[in-house]
Amino acid sequence: MAKTAIFTQTRVMSEDLKFIIDSTEEAMQEAVTHLENELTKIRGGRASVNMVDGIMVDYYGTMTPLNQVANVNTPEPRTLAIQPWEKSMIDPITRAIQAANLGFNPSNNGVMVICAIPPMTEERRKQMVKKAKEEGEHAKVSIRTSRKEANEQVRALLKSGLTEDEVKGGEAKVQQITDTYTAKVDKHLEAKEKDIMTV
Protein backbone atom coordinates (compact mmCIF):
# COMPACT_ATOMS: atom_id res chain seq x y z
CA MET A 1 0.00 0.00 0.00
CA ALA A 2 2.77 2.40 1.01
CA LYS A 3 4.59 1.59 -2.24
CA THR A 4 1.54 2.59 -4.29
CA ALA A 5 1.24 5.89 -2.41
CA ILE A 6 4.91 6.73 -3.09
CA PHE A 7 4.52 5.80 -6.77
CA THR A 8 1.41 7.98 -7.08
CA GLN A 9 3.17 10.92 -5.41
CA THR A 10 6.18 10.62 -7.77
CA ARG A 11 3.92 10.44 -10.80
CA VAL A 12 2.07 13.57 -9.67
CA MET A 13 5.46 15.26 -9.18
CA SER A 14 6.48 14.40 -12.73
CA GLU A 15 3.22 15.94 -13.91
CA ASP A 16 4.05 19.09 -11.92
CA LEU A 17 7.47 19.13 -13.55
CA LYS A 18 5.93 18.67 -17.00
CA PHE A 19 3.53 21.54 -16.28
CA ILE A 20 6.44 23.84 -15.33
CA ILE A 21 8.36 22.89 -18.48
CA ASP A 22 5.30 23.38 -20.74
CA SER A 23 4.39 26.74 -19.14
CA THR A 24 7.99 27.93 -19.49
CA GLU A 25 8.13 26.95 -23.13
CA GLU A 26 4.83 28.76 -23.72
CA ALA A 27 6.16 31.95 -22.06
CA MET A 28 9.36 31.80 -24.14
CA GLN A 29 7.34 31.30 -27.33
CA GLU A 30 5.29 34.39 -26.42
CA ALA A 31 8.53 36.40 -26.08
CA VAL A 32 9.62 35.27 -29.57
CA THR A 33 6.17 35.98 -31.07
CA HIS A 34 6.21 39.47 -29.54
CA LEU A 35 9.68 40.02 -31.04
CA GLU A 36 8.45 38.89 -34.49
CA ASN A 37 5.61 41.45 -34.29
CA GLU A 38 7.94 44.24 -33.18
CA LEU A 39 10.47 43.47 -35.95
CA THR A 40 7.80 43.75 -38.66
CA LYS A 41 7.32 47.37 -37.56
CA ILE A 42 11.00 48.19 -38.09
CA ARG A 43 11.64 49.29 -41.63
CA GLY A 44 13.89 47.13 -43.75
CA GLY A 45 15.67 47.99 -46.99
CA ARG A 46 12.65 47.07 -49.10
CA ALA A 47 9.03 48.17 -49.11
CA SER A 48 6.85 46.03 -46.85
CA VAL A 49 3.10 45.93 -46.26
CA ASN A 50 3.91 46.04 -42.51
CA MET A 51 5.19 49.62 -42.91
CA VAL A 52 1.62 50.89 -42.66
CA ASP A 53 0.57 48.58 -39.82
CA GLY A 54 -1.01 50.59 -37.06
CA ILE A 55 -2.14 53.46 -39.31
CA MET A 56 -5.71 54.43 -38.50
CA VAL A 57 -7.96 55.95 -41.16
CA ASP A 58 -11.07 58.08 -40.68
CA TYR A 59 -13.74 55.78 -42.12
CA TYR A 60 -16.97 57.80 -42.02
CA GLY A 61 -16.15 59.20 -38.58
CA THR A 62 -14.74 55.96 -37.13
CA MET A 63 -10.99 55.46 -36.79
CA THR A 64 -10.34 52.17 -38.55
CA PRO A 65 -7.10 50.24 -39.26
CA LEU A 66 -5.86 50.93 -42.80
CA ASN A 67 -5.80 47.23 -43.70
CA GLN A 68 -9.57 47.07 -43.02
CA VAL A 69 -10.41 49.70 -45.65
CA ALA A 70 -7.83 48.92 -48.33
CA ASN A 71 -5.63 46.27 -49.87
CA VAL A 72 -1.89 46.92 -49.35
CA ASN A 73 0.78 45.35 -51.54
CA THR A 74 4.31 45.90 -52.84
CA PRO A 75 4.38 45.76 -56.65
CA GLU A 76 8.08 46.75 -56.63
CA PRO A 77 10.85 46.62 -53.97
CA ARG A 78 10.55 50.37 -53.33
CA THR A 79 6.81 50.90 -53.84
CA LEU A 80 3.77 50.47 -51.65
CA ALA A 81 0.41 50.38 -53.45
CA ILE A 82 -2.72 50.90 -51.38
CA GLN A 83 -5.98 50.06 -53.14
CA PRO A 84 -9.00 51.35 -51.16
CA TRP A 85 -12.15 49.24 -51.34
CA GLU A 86 -14.08 52.50 -51.79
CA LYS A 87 -12.85 55.33 -54.02
CA SER A 88 -13.96 57.92 -51.45
CA MET A 89 -11.28 56.59 -49.07
CA ILE A 90 -8.32 57.77 -51.20
CA ASP A 91 -8.05 61.19 -49.51
CA PRO A 92 -8.50 59.96 -45.91
CA ILE A 93 -5.84 57.25 -46.53
CA THR A 94 -3.44 59.82 -48.05
CA ARG A 95 -3.94 62.14 -45.06
CA ALA A 96 -3.47 59.30 -42.54
CA ILE A 97 -0.15 58.25 -44.13
CA GLN A 98 1.10 61.85 -44.18
CA ALA A 99 0.11 62.28 -40.52
CA ALA A 100 1.95 59.09 -39.55
CA ASN A 101 5.20 60.73 -40.69
CA LEU A 102 6.81 57.52 -41.94
CA GLY A 103 9.42 59.23 -44.10
CA PHE A 104 7.66 58.83 -47.45
CA ASN A 105 5.03 60.89 -49.24
CA PRO A 106 1.88 59.25 -50.61
CA SER A 107 0.49 60.27 -53.99
CA ASN A 108 -2.62 58.99 -55.77
CA ASN A 109 -3.65 58.35 -59.33
CA GLY A 110 -7.38 58.61 -58.63
CA VAL A 111 -7.67 54.86 -58.12
CA MET A 112 -5.02 53.99 -55.54
CA VAL A 113 -2.51 55.56 -53.16
CA ILE A 114 1.11 55.02 -54.16
CA CYS A 115 4.07 55.46 -51.82
CA ALA A 116 7.58 55.57 -53.28
CA ILE A 117 9.87 54.40 -50.49
CA PRO A 118 13.11 56.43 -50.48
CA PRO A 119 16.32 54.49 -49.82
CA MET A 120 17.55 54.76 -46.24
CA THR A 121 20.82 56.50 -45.46
CA GLU A 122 23.63 54.42 -43.95
CA GLU A 123 23.08 56.20 -40.63
CA ARG A 124 19.34 55.44 -40.70
CA ARG A 125 20.05 51.77 -41.45
CA LYS A 126 22.38 51.59 -38.43
CA GLN A 127 19.66 53.16 -36.25
CA MET A 128 17.16 50.53 -37.45
CA VAL A 129 19.63 47.69 -36.75
CA LYS A 130 20.19 49.14 -33.25
CA LYS A 131 16.43 49.29 -32.67
CA ALA A 132 16.06 45.65 -33.82
CA LYS A 133 18.84 44.57 -31.45
CA GLU A 134 17.13 46.39 -28.56
CA GLU A 135 13.92 44.46 -29.29
CA GLY A 136 15.97 41.26 -29.40
CA GLU A 137 17.49 42.06 -26.01
CA HIS A 138 14.00 42.60 -24.52
CA ALA A 139 13.02 39.13 -25.81
CA LYS A 140 16.17 37.57 -24.33
CA VAL A 141 15.57 39.23 -20.94
CA SER A 142 12.03 37.83 -20.99
CA ILE A 143 13.37 34.34 -21.84
CA ARG A 144 15.98 34.51 -19.04
CA THR A 145 13.30 35.64 -16.57
CA SER A 146 11.15 32.63 -17.55
CA ARG A 147 14.17 30.34 -17.04
CA LYS A 148 14.86 31.79 -13.57
CA GLU A 149 11.20 31.40 -12.52
CA ALA A 150 11.06 27.84 -13.88
CA ASN A 151 14.23 26.79 -12.05
CA GLU A 152 12.86 28.20 -8.79
CA GLN A 153 9.63 26.25 -9.29
CA VAL A 154 11.54 23.05 -10.15
CA ARG A 155 13.73 23.37 -7.02
CA ALA A 156 10.61 23.95 -4.91
CA LEU A 157 9.43 20.47 -5.94
CA LEU A 158 12.31 18.99 -3.88
CA LYS A 159 10.32 19.81 -0.73
CA SER A 160 7.35 17.94 -2.20
CA GLY A 161 9.29 14.73 -2.78
CA LEU A 162 10.99 15.15 -6.17
CA THR A 163 14.46 13.55 -6.17
CA GLU A 164 17.71 15.49 -6.72
CA ASP A 165 18.16 13.69 -10.05
CA GLU A 166 14.67 14.66 -11.22
CA VAL A 167 15.34 18.28 -10.22
CA LYS A 168 18.64 18.26 -12.15
CA GLY A 169 16.85 16.72 -15.14
CA GLY A 170 14.17 19.40 -14.92
CA GLU A 171 16.75 22.19 -14.79
CA ALA A 172 18.59 20.67 -17.75
CA LYS A 173 15.34 20.60 -19.74
CA VAL A 174 14.66 24.26 -18.83
CA GLN A 175 18.18 25.19 -20.02
CA GLN A 176 17.62 23.24 -23.25
CA ILE A 177 14.44 25.16 -24.13
CA THR A 178 16.13 28.43 -23.08
CA ASP A 179 18.93 27.73 -25.58
CA THR A 180 16.39 26.85 -28.29
CA TYR A 181 14.42 30.09 -27.89
CA THR A 182 17.53 32.26 -27.52
CA ALA A 183 18.74 30.81 -30.83
CA LYS A 184 15.37 31.68 -32.40
CA VAL A 185 15.80 35.31 -31.26
CA ASP A 186 19.31 35.41 -32.79
CA LYS A 187 18.00 33.97 -36.05
CA HIS A 188 15.24 36.60 -36.29
CA LEU A 189 17.73 39.39 -35.56
CA GLU A 190 20.17 38.10 -38.16
CA ALA A 191 17.43 38.00 -40.81
CA LYS A 192 16.19 41.49 -39.86
CA GLU A 193 19.69 42.99 -39.96
CA LYS A 194 20.21 41.48 -43.40
CA ASP A 195 16.85 42.93 -44.50
CA ILE A 196 17.73 46.40 -43.17
CA MET A 197 21.21 46.45 -44.69
CA THR A 198 20.05 45.21 -48.13
CA VAL A 199 20.28 48.18 -50.47
Side-chain angles (χ1 to χ4, degrees), residues 1-198:
M1 181 67 185
K3 252 184 185 172
T4 315
I6 290 167
F7 174 73
T8 310
Q9 193 183 9
T10 309
R11 201 179 64 209
V12 170
M13 250 346 105
S14 312
E15 282 171 13
D16 285 349
L17 189 56
K18 185 179 177 338
F19 177 76
I20 293 168
I21 302 290
D22 291 347
S23 306
T24 303
E25 188 157 11
E26 213 173 282
M28 290 182 182
Q29 180 55 57
E30 276 173 23
V32 171
T33 303
H34 179 73
L35 172 66
E36 289 165 352
N37 292 337
E38 290 307 308
L39 290 181
T40 61
K41 296 174 191 170
I42 297 174
R43 190 182 151 189
R46 304 163 68 87
S48 158
V49 294
N50 302 114
M51 288 178 163
V52 290
D53 275 359
I55 290 185
M56 303 297 276
V57 181
D58 184 354
Y59 183 69
Y60 302 110
T62 305
M63 294 314 280
T64 309
L66 173 60
N67 61 10
Q68 288 180 20
V69 297
N71 206 354
V72 183
N73 62 48
T74 52
E76 290 167 28
R78 294 213 180 279
T79 309
L80 266 184
I82 300 157
Q83 175 81 59
W85 294 324
E86 296 171 34
K87 218 172 176 179
S88 61
M89 289 307 295
I90 286 180
D91 286 339
I93 288 171
T94 305
R95 282 196 298 274
I97 293 170
Q98 285 166 335
N101 199 10
L102 298 171
F104 47 83
N105 279 320
S107 60
N108 76 71
N109 58 10
V111 180
M112 65 170 71
V113 178
I114 296 157
C115 303
I117 312 297
M120 286 193 285
T121 62
E122 186 69 20
E123 189 182 336
R124 184 80 176 126
R125 284 175 196 279
K126 284 177 179 164
Q127 284 173 346
M128 294 288 117
V129 168
K130 189 178 171 205
K131 189 166 169 31
K133 284 182 174 169
E134 281 168 8
E135 291 299 342
E137 194 46 46
H138 292 319
K140 285 183 178 181
V141 166
S142 182
I143 287 168
R144 287 195 295 266
T145 302
S146 296
R147 176 186 62 190
K148 182 173 177 275
E149 288 169 1
N151 283 335
E152 284 168 3
Q153 290 170 346
V154 169
R155 280 193 284 272
L157 293 179
L158 258 179
K159 294 187 187 86
S160 322
L162 204 67
T163 67
E164 280 281 357
D165 283 349
E166 285 172 310
V167 167
K168 282 198 176 85
E171 289 176 335
K173 182 67 182 156
V174 167
Q175 187 56 52
Q176 188 188 336
I177 58 176
T178 303
D179 294 343
T180 300
Y181 283 93
T182 302
K184 284 184 182 186
V185 169
D186 289 335
K187 204 170 172 187
H188 282 308
L189 289 180
E190 197 181 306
K192 189 65 187 184
E193 187 168 347
K194 190 177 173 192
D195 176 35
I196 292 169
M197 298 312 279
T198 300

